């Protein structure tokens, strides 16, 4: 039986978009995640109100995430 | 005895509407869910203030969800 | 000794009103609920700012609920 | 040693006022409560901005409650 | 080793001020509290925007509390 | 291996600044804390919008705290 | 298999940027963290609306954090 986090397993090493509760979006290469949906991205970039900011490596806390989508 | 999440079991592989706390709605084919109501949709589409955006595969974090309804 | 969720046991198969934290009200036939107050309604209808929208089957996440009242 | 919820034990079958985080107040006869402070009231009445609405039986989710006071 | 809730043990039967997340302050005689910081006050009085309202007995839910201070 | 709360162990009996989610700052002598970051201060003083208010002894609930800093 | 918090293990003793839910950013040398993402920084500095404030040692509560990024 498939579980919802399986969609992230298939995305390891690939680009994903993470939408946050504060309205910003982080795009990056999915390195790791856990059951709380804490997410580690590499070569990450934040988009907020059409501005882009390079973040490099970033750990996103799971409880700030609305959704994650493979790019 | 039936449990509330049984309504989602019957909706696997079918289109559902997910309403989020931030006011947006995601429509997609229900692939998987868990007890926290984390939901994996395929061919998903977001509707927000009458605009539609294609999302493709998406994992929605359970704690951002208000309700889920089979279409 | 009676427990608070007993009031819902008596309402199974009957119409209930569910008030949500976002200000909307859902009316429907109570199909099932659990300890988190996740609720499955049938023939549900949402009322928000005097507009009514038919929802059909719906699963409401417990943590978005303020109160439930048999109609 | 007394515990804070003991004040509710003494109020069973009596009128209590429940203040909610959304600013409304529910008055009713305390039927049952649990450790999460989920509360079942009978002959309940909601007061919000000086308007009163009859609710009858109602289950209030504990995490929406600020305080409970015997009338 | 002392623990933070010890400060409340010393305040049993004495007047305390409880500041709530919604901006109001409750003053009363501390009757009981638990690990969640649920608090039972007697002869309680609410102060909000310089208005005082008598509450009598009151149970305050722990998660609505910012701080408690012996008077 | 050091743990984040060790920084508070070293601050016992010393002045610390506690920043709260509601925007106010409490300064006081750290008496005790626990794993939830519930904090007991002595000779505490609140600063909010440049006004200072003496609090004396105070128990601050951990979930209202943003950060704690030795003065 | 790598886990998301491994990105912080590699950052111990190095400068990291911590973005908080209240909009401020803390930069500092990562001393320690735990599974809740409670973080202890040394030589920390807060940036908020282009103003910088020296904090020195600081313990940041995990649930106020959006993301952590090695500088």
């Amino acid at each position: 039986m498939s579980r919802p986090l399986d969609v992230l397993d298939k995305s390891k090493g690939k680009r994903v978009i993470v939408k946050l509760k504060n309205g910003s979006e982080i795009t990056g290469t999915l390195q790791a995640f856990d059951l709380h949906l804490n997410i580690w991205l590499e070569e990450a970039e934040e988009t907020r109100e059409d501005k882009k900011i390079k973040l490099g490596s970033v750990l996103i806390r799971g409880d700030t995430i609305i959704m994650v989508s493979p790019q």
Side-chain angles (χ1 to χ4, degrees), chain A:
Chain A
M1 211 192 71
S2 70
R3 292 160 305 165
L5 271 59
D6 292 349
V7 67
L8 294 189
D9 266 324
K10 300 190 304 179
S11 302
K12 276 196 183 162
K14 299 190 184 146
R15 301 294 285 177
V16 298
I17 305 173
V18 182
K19 296 198 185 186
L20 303 189
K21 291 181 181 166
N22 71 355
S24 73
E25 280 186 26
I26 317 290
T27 309
T29 303
L30 182 61
Q31 206 70 14
F33 65 92
D34 63 21
L35 288 174
H36 305 288
L37 219 50
N38 295 318
I39 285 180
W40 167 12
L41 300 177
E42 286 292 333
E43 293 161 56
E45 200 175 49
E46 183 174 2
T47 309
R48 198 168 182 174
E49 293 163 11
D50 297 318
K51 282 179 293 193
K52 289 197 176 191
I53 304 153
K54 284 199 189 303
L55 299 172
S57 290
V58 70
L59 169 67
I60 305 171
R61 203 177 191 264
D63 81 325
T64 67
I65 293 173
I66 296 178
M67 52 183 143
V68 187
S69 197
Q71 214 174 17

